[in-house]
Amino acid sequence: MAGRWNRWDHRLFAALYDLLAPAAETAYYAARRAEIAGGATGRVLEIGAGTGANLPHYPAEAVLVAVEPNAHMLRRARRKAAGHGRGATWVQAAAEALPFADESFDTVVSTLVLCSVTDPEVAARELWRVLRPGGTLRLVEHVRAEDPALARWQDRVTPVWRLIGAGCHPNRPTLAILERAGFVTVQARLEPFGPAPVRPHVVAVLRKAEADEGRPGGRASPAGE
């Protein structure tokens, strides 16, 4: 899996990412990263850490393990971590094949990742596997639109969009995928941010049910509560 992330185009994507992202980070993502990464506790796994945009937002006491399949982005993230004085363990790995023991993390953080994993259903099961019972998955992701016309347009552009966007799929119903894997949505809000087709975004916290609760999936409360 890691080999496909060492190609020249992924080197280019890594180089361009930090050049192109600042406007969106300032306008939107930085505040949401602070909300999501800033609430992480205990032993924390960040999937798809990219070039390290979440690093400034983690609590000092969080024990951070960060995975990223793109070797070029991982190298940039390590340099950022050194600049921030942020301790972390860095691993080149994909979300579909996490090299960690079952129930080994208290929190998983995912920001703008699940749109581009190769197999989101497998990735969701892996996140479930590595979280301890009662642990939380904290995320910011753009998701399939609720508006049928926009959703159909997302479907039409996805084959091209994923080729120019490092595998990004605008039309993924990410919360539904995670709930099928057994997560319970504790809170979620849709925000109409982003250029079509990558809108809306969801800012959410999901929980892995305790052992005596079974594995139901679904929502603990209506979105936005």
Side-chain angles (χ1 to χ4, degrees):
M1 178 81 65
R4 77 179 185 92
W5 287 99
N6 294 327
R7 297 174 355 203
W8 70 268
D9 52 332
H10 294 115
R11 181 189 295 270
L12 178 63
F13 183 78
L16 292 176
Y17 187 85
D18 285 335
L19 293 175
L20 300 177
E25 287 291 335
T26 300
Y28 180 81
Y29 290 121
R32 277 68 185 184
R33 292 184 192 278
E35 176 183 352
I36 291 303
T41 59
R43 189 164 189 253
V44 179
L45 173 66
E46 180 178 349
I47 62 166
T51 62
N54 287 330
L55 287 171
H57 304 298
Y58 284 108
E61 63 274 14
V63 179
L64 178 62
V65 179
V67 301
E68 167 58 47
N70 185 323
H72 312 296
M73 297 188 89
L74 188 64
R75 187 162 52 247
R76 289 170 176 268
R78 284 185 171 127
R79 288 200 296 264
K80 281 188 184 177
H84 285 295
R86 171 78 223 189
T89 299
W90 299 92
V91 180
Q92 186 179 2
E96 298 95 324
L98 296 171
F100 308 111
D102 295 356
E103 301 181 3
S104 53
F105 292 95
D106 302 294
T107 309
V108 173
V109 171
S110 174
T111 57
L112 308 178
V113 176
L114 295 173
C115 62
S116 60
V117 297
T118 302
D119 190 327
E121 303 280 353
V122 171
R125 292 195 294 270
E126 277 289 270
L127 301 185
W128 170 275
R129 180 183 66 80
V130 300
L131 264 176
R132 65 167 178 78
T136 56
L137 168 59
R138 304 177 63 84
L139 62 86
V140 181
E141 301 281 351
H142 65 80
V143 294
R144 184 177 183 84
E146 294 185 325
D147 176 73
L150 180 53
R152 287 193 298 271
W153 189 68
Q154 288 173 324
D155 291 337
R156 288 195 294 271
V157 302
T158 288
V160 174
W161 190 269
R162 66 184 180 85
L163 294 178
I164 63 176
C168 174
H169 291 67
N171 61 343
R172 281 190 174 161
T174 297
L175 279 186
I177 291 170
L178 292 168
E179 289 170 354
R180 284 197 295 270
F183 285 99
V184 174
T185 299
V186 177
Q187 59 186 45
R189 68 178 188 272
L190 284 176
E191 298 190 356
F193 169 83
V198 288
R199 72 166 186 263
H201 285 67
V202 66
V203 182
V205 177
L206 299 93
R207 181 173 56 87
K208 178 175 179 175
E210 301 282 358
D212 59 358
E213 294 180 89
R215 187 174 172 170
R219 295 181 182 271
S221 61
E225 290 191 0

